[in-house]
Amino acid sequence: MLPRIDRRSLIAGGLGLAGLTLPAGRALASQMLGATGFTHNVASGEPAPDSMLLWTRYVPSAEAGVVRLDVEVALDPGFSKRVSGGVVRTGPYRDWTAKVTVDGLKPGTVYWYRFVAPDGTKSPVGRTKTLPQGPVNRFDLAVFSCSNLPYGWFNAYAHAAARPDLDLWLHTGDYIYEYGAASIKEVDLVQGRLPEPSTEILAIADYRLRYASYRADPDLQRLHQMAPMVALWDDHESSNDSWEGGAQNHQPDKEGGWNIRRAAAMQVYREWMPVSDEPWKTYPIGTLATLYRTESRLLARTRPADIGAAFKAADPEAALKAFRDGAWRDPSATMMGSTQETWLAHQMKVNAGWQLVGMGTILGRTVMPKDAVDWLRPTVSDKKVASYRDDIRAAARGLPMWMDRWDGYPAARSRLLRSAQAADADLVMLSGDSHNAWAYALTEDGRPAGVEFAGHSVTSNGMEGDMGADPKIVAQGFVGANPELKWADTSQRGYMMVQITPQRVTGEWLFLRTIKAPTTELAGTHRMQVDRGRRRFSQA
């Protein structure tokens, strides 16, 4: 872990947080981030059949404005068979991170790569694999989401990184969290895993230090080192429940303009992650499938409809009905924006095979079961109990429990699913955000539209924190209350494995025994599958 930094040092000499972006702040930045040389290992991403984006971070030991790094790519980890390479510059203006795309590679091939500094020192060696081309019999990827560092060890990353059978990582968001230490209950905190800075992150320097803390984790470093990652942001890479014009966890009167914070979050994400600057992208997996990276948080998402006023109205039932028939169904509400909606609809028409859509939040319709209050722990606050009761009242009117998810944007959800139906697409949604595990058979206009494998979190707390009832009772209650929901687990952490063949896609949820100590021991798994052309689950 990086050492704790005294934030008072940031304002010494009048530098403030902005000091880290100025030449006078370079030495301070180096001191804060802990080391020189290749400080955060290597990573790869944006895979294609003939190219790959490679990432590292290099801090020179002496004062420098720009540093050139050479890149070597080989067919073996000893680099006796070098086949490609490149050069890239970095400097304090991008927090010493470096990204370079190398091309001329062969499809479906494992490569080894490293960076070489001006003084001849070499980075750790990374392993990556290009996407296949033509007929493909099998492709395996792992899906992660919601990795809150203080809440536990990244055992899911460690378990996946040790597997020999994976071609790609997909991270569907909440790779970091923006909260400060004050928001974490002592009972939830794992000692030694509190990231820097200790306060909520707001400015460029804050976001850079938070990524530096997360990327210092050895299990996360190993994950990036062993295979390429396709990554997309959700809300916590900026601020909770974010949309294009603000966020639930952003107060402009105290924290400044949202556009400034949003720009800082986007810039630093693109510095520290092995991603291109394209907001959304297509990844062809031969003729077998196409994977889509989407953006549904910061660029076009409209503000979620506010159901809160309906609960406080003189006639709540009438207010809920008016909300359901009005603001909730507004067709101008959008998660992705019309440009991206059109792009995805067109891509599903022209691309062959399975259509795998990586998404930050869940599409499946979910209402609160009527018995949910009976499952709560006695220690749950009166305010939270009232919130559950409100969700149950909303469910009686057909309204979802989370307005921040896709079922809070029903017109946009219908447009997406109808476009998949119009394209005759075998749609498989791969999503995160909720911290718990779900499997949905998606429908639109009474017809199957695809399936959704919704992943549980790496470490973030799920609804089990509120529930005192047996998790099996809770899961059964949710399945019973929601026709699209075919299975759920509401109590465990881990990641998903997704195996794609021409005949079927199989999803496997892997549950770690614990996240409170470093171990890769599993507590169990659950598998479900969808057969080609069925667009609903069959027995795995």
Side-chain angles (χ1 to χ4, degrees):
M1 287 296 296
L2 296 178
R4 177 175 292 282
I5 305 302
D6 181 358
R7 281 176 66 89
R8 287 177 296 180
S9 66
L10 287 173
I11 59 174
L15 286 175
L17 287 173
L20 295 185
T21 66
L22 302 174
R26 291 176 190 161
L28 178 59
S30 177
Q31 175 189 348
M32 288 184 66
L33 296 176
T36 58
F38 291 102
T39 63
H40 286 80
N41 212 306
V42 295
S44 63
E46 303 296 359
D50 59 355
S51 66
M52 187 71 66
L53 183 149
L54 307 177
W55 179 98
T56 194
R57 183 171 185 271
Y58 179 80
V59 181
S61 57
E63 185 74 12
V66 176
V67 170
R68 168 181 158 156
L69 302 175
D70 292 297
V71 183
E72 298 175 349
V73 180
L75 291 170
D76 65 307
F79 288 83
S80 63
K81 301 177 182 178
R82 296 183 193 177
V83 296
S84 185
V87 292
V88 61
R89 293 181 182 181
T90 186
Y93 52 86
R94 58 171 301 109
D95 204 17
W96 301 105
T97 62
K99 295 191 294 189
V100 59
T101 297
V102 295
D103 60 9
L105 307 180
K106 294 181 179 180
T109 303
V110 172
Y111 290 96
W112 305 85
Y113 65 94
R114 65 189 178 191
F115 291 80
V116 183
D119 63 1
T121 59
K122 297 178 175 63
S123 72
V125 174
R127 175 188 179 277
T128 194
K129 188 176 183 181
T130 52
L131 294 180
Q133 203 168 44
V136 180
N137 291 325
R138 175 174 166 177
F139 191 86
D140 296 273
L141 61 88
V143 183
F144 308 94
S145 67
C146 306
S147 315
N148 201 336
L149 185 72
Y151 283 73
W153 294 88
F154 289 163
N155 293 332
Y157 293 156
H159 189 276
R163 300 182 68 131
D165 57 344
L166 290 170
D167 299 296
L168 181 69
W169 316 130
L170 172 65
H171 205 296
T172 62
D174 296 341
Y175 182 97
I176 67 162
Y177 279 72
E178 84 280 16
Y179 299 124
S183 69
I184 304 169
K185 296 179 182 178
E186 187 174 352
V187 68
D188 293 325
L189 176 63
V190 173
Q191 292 300 315
R193 291 186 65 79
L194 190 64
E196 296 295 342
S198 59
T199 56
E200 182 180 346
I201 54 177
L202 300 171
I204 287 178
D206 294 334
Y207 283 98
R208 284 174 169 172
L209 187 52
R210 185 62 56 87
Y211 276 95
S213 292
Y214 271 69
R215 292 292 297 274
D217 181 89
D219 294 322
L220 180 52
Q221 287 193 12
R222 184 66 173 169
L223 186 83
H224 278 297
Q225 190 178 5
M226 294 307 295
M229 177 181 285
V230 169
L232 54 106
W233 60 52
D234 193 35
D235 53 342
H236 289 291
E237 287 87 351
S238 55
S239 187
N240 184 56
D241 288 357
S242 55
W243 56 286
E244 64 174 339
Q248 176 274 331
N249 192 33
H250 182 79
Q251 294 75 45
D253 58 331
K254 299 178 181 179
E255 297 170 337
W258 168 247
N259 285 340
I260 296 174
R261 183 178 185 179
R262 180 179 67 162
M266 291 170 61
Q267 174 181 326
V268 177
Y269 183 88
R270 287 167 171 164
E271 289 172 349
W272 276 85
M273 297 294 288
V275 297
S276 68
D277 291 351
E278 299 158 282
W280 48 81
K281 194 169 182 178
T282 301
Y283 305 89
I285 305 173
T287 59
L288 177 66
T290 303
L291 174 65
Y292 302 97
R293 170 167 61 83
T294 62
E295 197 290 318
S296 60
R297 273 294 175 191
L298 300 178
L299 301 182
R301 178 196 277 249
T302 54
R303 189 170 192 166
D306 183 8
I307 195 175
F311 296 124
K312 301 174 184 177
D315 185 349
E317 296 307 313
L320 283 171
K321 183 178 184 298
F323 173 82
R324 181 196 63 195
D325 298 338
W328 181 58
R329 297 183 187 275
D330 186 348
S332 70
T334 178
M335 293 275 280
M336 299 165 61
S338 59
T339 301
Q340 189 180 181
E341 284 185 11
T342 301
W343 164 80
L344 183 57
H346 174 75
Q347 291 293 317
M348 286 192 289
K349 285 182 179 179
V350 300
N351 291 322
W354 297 96
Q355 307 293 299
L356 311 172
V357 180
M359 187 65 66
T361 51
I362 294 172
L363 260 79
R365 290 191 176 102
T366 319
V367 302
M368 185 66 74
K370 61 182 177 59
D371 298 328
V373 171
D374 299 334
W375 305 332
L376 297 176
R377 298 178 188 274
T379 54
V380 170
S381 69
D382 291 343
K383 182 178 180 181
K384 184 163 283 190
V385 171
S387 176
Y388 275 90
R389 292 191 187 280
D390 284 342
D391 286 340
I392 293 169
R393 292 164 71 190
R397 292 289 183 183
L399 290 164
M401 54 189 281
W402 290 301
M403 288 294 164
D404 190 58
R405 295 190 346 183
W406 273 90
D407 53 358
Y409 297 72
R413 179 188 188 273
S414 292
R415 291 194 296 268
L416 191 159
L417 294 179
R418 285 171 183 163
S419 68
Q421 291 173 329
D424 195 26
D426 282 299
L427 176 67
V428 177
M429 300 299 304
L430 303 173
S431 57
D433 183 65
S434 77
H435 305 176
N436 295 119
W438 318 84
Y440 296 89
L442 305 169
T443 61
E444 184 60 31
D445 297 328
R447 297 183 294 123
V451 301
E452 181 168 33
F453 296 97
H456 45 324
S457 65
V458 172
T459 60
S460 300
N461 287 345
M463 66 173 61
E464 72 280 355
D466 291 342
M467 299 297 171
D470 185 328
K472 292 181 180 179
I473 293 176
V474 176
Q476 289 170 359
F478 270 93
V479 171
N482 293 280
E484 286 191 343
L485 183 61
K486 302 306 177 183
W487 171 84
D489 179 277
T490 60
S491 66
Q492 301 184 81
R493 312 278 76 80
Y495 71 104
M496 285 193 303
M497 274 282 299
V498 179
Q499 183 184 104
I500 308 144
T501 68
Q503 296 78 30
R504 65 185 55 88
V505 172
T506 303
E508 181 179 29
W509 291 263
L510 294 94
F511 305 111
L512 275 300
R513 181 179 62 79
T514 183
I515 59 170
K516 300 304 181 182
T519 175
T520 56
E521 183 181 347
L522 293 179
T525 65
H526 181 79
R527 291 165 62 92
M528 296 185 74
Q529 70 182 35
V530 55
D531 292 332
R532 187 70 176 270
R534 292 277 296 167
R535 292 155 203 175
R536 58 170 65 94
F537 291 111
S538 56
Q539 187 64 37

